[in-house]
Amino acid sequence: MPSTLLVYLHGFRSSPRSSKAHKTGDAVRALSNKENPIEWYCPQLFASPKQSMDMVSNYIDQSGADSIVIIGSSLGGFYANYLAERYACKAVALNPAVRAARELAPHVGMLTTYDNDEPFDFRPEYIDELKALQVEKITSPERYFLIAAKGDEHLDWKEMVEFYEGANQLVLEGSDHGIADYGNYLYKVLEFISK
């Protein structure tokens, strides 16, 4: 029977413990059944973009799933573009950092994670790694679903809308970078990945 691997990629300084990851994981596990088994994979990403994508790509390559869906939030959305192009699969981008190298260049140095204040070193070479992963243009917009919040305090929703031209798009009036009201739109994510 066909199986699906659903990969959820958290954002910069975030973790698999984020509320969006939890809500999505619970909903996906509830969707999974014998006729439509869905494997949930939500790893802790490394500070190094290359190391992160190597880890996720290796997991995907070994999964043996019939189909792959990537969901990514913020920096995870940037990674989702890279993986969706590499594997020609569906992707859901939640307030994605479409130009991650530019957005994160000012954050090089010692930082902490949001949920447990664990320190990590975001090195200058990681900006080059992000540049190497940059997707300039998505090739099959119909494979993508963008949720962009006009109230995003970190990223420009207009840039997202332009980048995902032709894709399925849900532009939220207000909201914020973390999409605090994500639970209201989760059903649309599930609809898209179930198509």
Side-chain angles (χ1 to χ4, degrees):
M1 70 200 63
S3 62
T4 301
L5 172 64
L6 200 146
V7 179
Y8 185 98
L9 304 173
H10 64 75
F12 188 60
R13 298 176 62 191
S14 188
S15 79
R17 297 178 293 278
S18 75
S19 71
K20 284 199 300 296
H22 270 292
K23 284 176 183 164
T24 309
D26 290 346
V28 164
R29 283 188 282 268
L31 271 186
S32 182
N33 55 47
K34 280 184 183 168
E35 289 73 47
N36 179 30
I38 305 173
E39 181 187 353
W40 171 253
Y41 175 56
C42 181
Q44 175 66 59
L45 300 175
F46 299 104
S48 160
K50 182 184 184 309
Q51 204 179 349
S52 296
M53 288 304 92
D54 286 350
M55 172 183 68
V56 175
S57 297
N58 287 340
Y59 191 94
I60 292 171
D61 292 342
Q62 291 168 21
S63 77
D66 299 294
S67 65
I68 302 154
V69 179
I70 316 286
I71 301 177
S73 172
S74 191
L75 176 58
F78 171 85
Y79 290 148
N81 295 336
Y82 168 77
L83 293 168
E85 292 298 317
R86 177 171 176 170
Y87 292 100
C89 66
K90 281 185 179 178
V92 178
L94 309 170
N95 277 340
V98 294
R99 302 277 169 199
R102 182 194 67 207
E103 299 294 345
L104 294 180
H107 299 279
V108 166
M110 286 304 295
L111 300 167
T112 55
T113 54
Y114 286 130
D115 60 357
N116 63 6
D117 288 332
E118 195 174 306
F120 70 96
D121 187 9
F122 190 65
R123 298 177 183 161
E125 58 264 32
Y126 296 162
I127 300 301
D128 292 329
E129 291 179 9
L130 288 170
K131 287 176 183 170
L133 297 169
Q134 178 70 51
V135 170
E136 289 302 329
K137 188 174 175 56
I138 54 173
T139 54
S140 300
E142 68 280 358
R143 288 202 324 257
Y144 290 82
F145 177 35
L146 166 69
I147 299 184
K150 288 186 178 181
D152 190 321
E153 64 277 21
H154 298 300
L155 300 170
D156 181 0
W157 67 272
K158 295 194 232 29
E159 186 176 43
M160 300 174 203
V161 166
E162 188 180 327
F163 184 84
Y164 294 94
E165 185 182 355
N168 304 275
Q169 296 193 1
L170 175 61
V171 179
L172 309 177
E173 296 294 333
S175 193
D176 56 15
H177 182 64
I179 315 180
D181 47 353
Y182 176 69
N184 298 339
Y185 311 107
L186 181 53
Y187 76 96
K188 288 191 174 287
V189 173
L190 299 177
E191 276 176 7
F192 177 73
I193 65 178
S194 301
K195 275 185 208 164

